């Protein structure tokens, strides 16, 4: 479902990460298997400058945090940790600048491990894609 700014902010507040390590600025769409988020970089003075180049680490952490939003109802107070990244491919070697958008989809659910396919976009250009697995600690 498409989210209001208020609901988007509520989901982001539910992330375990706090500034300056929270890498989700807006949730555009969220349901049980899919999420679309944006990261502007300039909204939080502790993170990035407006013209900052986005490195691959930031894009991967952004993918993990955004994908974890899909698990909001499955975690029930438990914390998720990154189990692994697989098949990560940097599709463009151009410098990446904000804003960036992430699309992630739950592709496998073998409790307590959940796997997601993700893509990080700058404008319409795919910059990084891969798979992430998140383990929910019991």
């Amino acid at each position: 479902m498409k989210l209001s700014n208020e609901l988007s902010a509520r989901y982001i507040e539910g992330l375990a990460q706090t500034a300056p390590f929270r890498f989700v600025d807006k949730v555009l769409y969220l349901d049980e298997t899919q999420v679309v988020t944006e990261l502007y970089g300039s909204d939080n003075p502790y993170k990035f400058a407006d013209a900052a180049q986005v490195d691959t680490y930031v894009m991967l952490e952004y993918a993990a945090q955004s994908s974890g939003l899909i698990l909001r109802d499955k975690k029930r107070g438990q914390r998720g940790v990154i189990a692994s990244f697989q098949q990560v491919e940097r599709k463009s070697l151009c410098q990446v600048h904000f804003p960036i958008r992430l699309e992630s989809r739950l592709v496998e659910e073998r409790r307590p491990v959940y796997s997601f396919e993700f893509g990080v976009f700058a404008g319409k250009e795919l910059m990084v894609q891969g798979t992430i697995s998140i383990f929910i600690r019991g």
Side-chain angles (χ1 to χ4, degrees):
M1 79 178 126
K2 190 173 177 181
L3 301 180
S4 67
N5 288 339
E6 182 180 313
L7 192 53
S8 171
R10 197 173 327 145
Y11 283 133
I12 292 168
E13 281 299 313
L15 289 170
Q17 297 81 4
T18 59
F21 302 107
R22 182 178 289 160
F23 295 143
V24 179
D25 286 329
K26 187 170 187 179
V27 181
L28 300 175
Y29 180 88
L30 180 63
D31 65 22
E32 294 81 28
T33 61
Q34 211 169 3
V35 65
V36 178
T37 62
E38 291 181 332
L39 179 59
Y40 307 118
S42 61
D43 289 348
N44 185 337
Y46 300 107
K47 282 195 286 200
F48 313 105
D50 288 342
Q53 181 178 335
V54 183
D55 64 27
T56 303
Y57 164 78
V58 168
M59 288 187 270
L60 294 178
E61 181 62 26
Y62 173 45
Q65 291 180 23
S66 294
S67 298
L69 290 169
I70 296 171
L71 302 176
R72 70 199 181 283
D73 295 329
K74 297 179 188 324
K75 292 194 307 187
R76 296 184 197 105
Q78 300 166 325
R79 293 193 58 152
V81 295
I82 299 169
S84 65
F85 284 101
Q86 303 97 29
Q87 303 167 336
V88 173
E89 184 178 358
R90 181 81 187 245
K91 300 300 278 186
S92 172
L93 297 178
C94 297
Q95 291 184 353
V96 180
H97 296 280
F98 296 106
I100 58 177
R101 184 183 85 258
L102 178 122
E103 297 177 9
S104 183
R105 182 173 56 89
L106 179 65
V107 293
E108 186 173 21
E109 184 174 333
R110 293 190 313 171
R111 295 178 184 158
V113 178
Y114 301 83
S115 296
F116 304 85
E117 290 178 349
F118 69 88
V120 178
F121 298 82
K124 294 183 186 233
E125 186 176 1
L126 177 62
M127 304 310 289
V128 174
Q129 70 180 17
T131 303
I132 181 173
S133 295
I134 297 176
F135 173 78
I136 303 296
R137 289 193 258 193

